[in-house]
Amino acid sequence: MDNTTKHSDWITFSVVVAIIALLCGMIWFVALMLGESVKFVVLMLFAFSVTIILPVFLLDVAGFLSSFFTKDPRKILLMGLSGTGIGLLILSGILLFMGGVDVEKLENNYRMHSSEMEQAIEYTLSCLEDGSGLDIEFEGRGSVSIFRICNDGSWDGAWKPSRNKVDSLAAEIGFSREILNEVRDRLYKAKCHSISIVKQDGTYDVATLMFRRDLGSAYYYDIHNVDMTEAEMEAINADDCTRIAFNPHVCFVYGSPAFGDIAFPDKQAYLEGRWSND
């Protein structure tokens, strides 16, 4: 077999490996985006990664590097497949090893920042007129990812709104850009990223603050203006699969991904641990 044939075979092999790596990366990424609902799948992928994905990743890197030194017409295809596959595998690995959110982190953040949460609620409430409401979520750098307003029970808003859209909607409830920035800053001090609240008769019923998104899921605090009764808390902990009554004033809430289990992950284990420590 001459060198040309060997080189062609290596390029063919590299392209096949790049396709496998890309498929592995896509499977990992989709599984991680679905979060807890496919936790078993993620763990199985991790278990096989040492024997399957890691060698494929290393071969993919070798194929990517070799594409710089070849004149084979499949060079661009190899570079594209390898580069995308490597990127997805690295991203998936980062997401896997960074660790997500769980109820313990939710509780710890509430214990540390409950006063900042109350201050964010009080400020937002003070800027609202009776019958109006606000539902706003900020991304990491402070841009608005979700913005809705309520006027006399009617909601209007947008996902990923433009700056002009945000300003026009905010003006309808008397909010300026400065007020929105202050709401954002107070939420960030509480380590939260969103608030949903409606003002009625000078007060509110429940204010919902988002702690963090975790891939396809999200974790919230429902902060009640009027404390829940013991019976209400027991009913939530016994029958409500998406909420945990932490104390009479606050519930931890799980927003499930679009597909999969809607139940709060590890709810029962968490409650049993709390009961055993009481």
Side-chain angles (χ1 to χ4, degrees):
M1 185 180 293
D2 58 30
N3 288 336
T4 301
T5 302
K6 289 181 179 179
H7 180 77
S8 179
D9 289 344
W10 167 249
I11 295 297
T12 300
F13 174 74
S14 297
V15 169
V16 172
V17 169
I19 293 172
I20 294 172
L22 182 57
L23 289 173
C24 289
M26 290 173 65
I27 293 170
W28 264 50
F29 190 72
V30 170
L32 287 165
M33 286 302 292
L34 290 175
E36 292 287 338
S37 60
V38 288
K39 187 174 183 179
F40 176 76
V41 176
V42 176
L43 292 174
M44 288 300 295
L45 284 170
F46 176 71
F48 283 108
S49 63
V50 175
T51 56
I52 297 177
I53 296 178
L54 183 58
V56 169
F57 174 76
L58 295 175
L59 288 169
D60 202 26
V61 172
F64 181 75
L65 294 175
S66 71
S67 66
F68 287 96
F69 304 100
T70 180
K71 296 180 180 180
D72 191 283
R74 293 167 292 179
K75 172 180 180 177
I76 302 301
L77 174 64
L78 178 58
M79 291 178 68
L81 288 171
S82 299
T84 305
I86 291 168
L88 269 175
L89 287 169
I90 291 175
L91 177 60
S92 300
I94 291 173
L95 291 174
L96 181 63
F97 288 103
M98 276 177 60
V101 183
D102 57 32
V103 66
E104 299 288 347
K105 293 178 182 177
L106 204 62
E107 176 184 335
N108 291 338
N109 186 68
Y110 179 75
R111 291 186 182 278
M112 292 177 63
H113 299 289
S114 59
S115 61
E116 288 88 348
M117 293 180 199
E118 297 292 343
Q119 291 168 17
I121 292 170
E122 290 172 7
Y123 176 78
T124 307
L125 190 70
S126 70
C127 297
L128 289 168
E129 298 292 336
D130 263 350
S132 64
L134 176 71
D135 181 9
I136 187 168
E137 180 180 330
F138 297 96
E139 294 180 326
R141 295 182 179 179
S143 60
V144 177
S145 59
I146 297 174
F147 190 62
R148 298 193 306 149
I149 61 166
C150 178
N151 264 324
D152 296 322
S154 177
W155 285 92
D156 183 23
W159 180 73
K160 295 287 185 182
S162 66
R163 185 180 180 88
N164 289 338
K165 181 67 173 178
V166 170
D167 290 339
S168 64
L169 286 171
E172 293 185 32
I173 57 171
F175 273 48
S176 63
R177 176 60 62 169
E178 289 73 23
I179 291 175
L180 292 178
N181 288 343
E182 182 66 20
V183 170
R184 175 200 63 201
D185 292 343
R186 288 174 182 260
L187 286 173
Y188 281 6
K189 287 179 181 178
K191 305 301 180 185
C192 293
H193 294 271
S194 80
I195 184 169
S196 179
I197 187 171
V198 176
K199 185 174 184 178
Q200 293 287 356
D201 300 324
T203 187
Y204 71 99
D205 182 18
V206 178
T208 301
L209 280 65
M210 186 188 74
F211 171 48
R212 198 182 302 169
R213 290 197 179 277
D214 180 28
L215 304 176
S217 308
Y219 291 78
Y220 302 87
Y221 302 101
D222 270 357
I223 299 179
H224 294 245
N225 182 41
V226 177
D227 285 355
M228 294 174 285
T229 65
E230 192 70 29
E232 288 173 330
M233 293 176 61
E234 289 176 359
I236 288 170
N237 288 337
D239 302 323
D240 191 330
C241 67
T242 64
R243 294 190 297 165
I244 296 173
F246 175 66
N247 63 33
H249 188 54
V250 64
C251 283
F252 300 151
V253 183
Y254 175 67
S256 66
F259 304 97
D261 192 354
I262 65 170
F264 204 124
D266 301 320
K267 173 179 176 175
Q268 195 57 39
Y270 170 76
L271 290 174
E272 290 173 358
R274 270 179 50 185
W275 293 331
S276 66
N277 292 328
D278 288 343

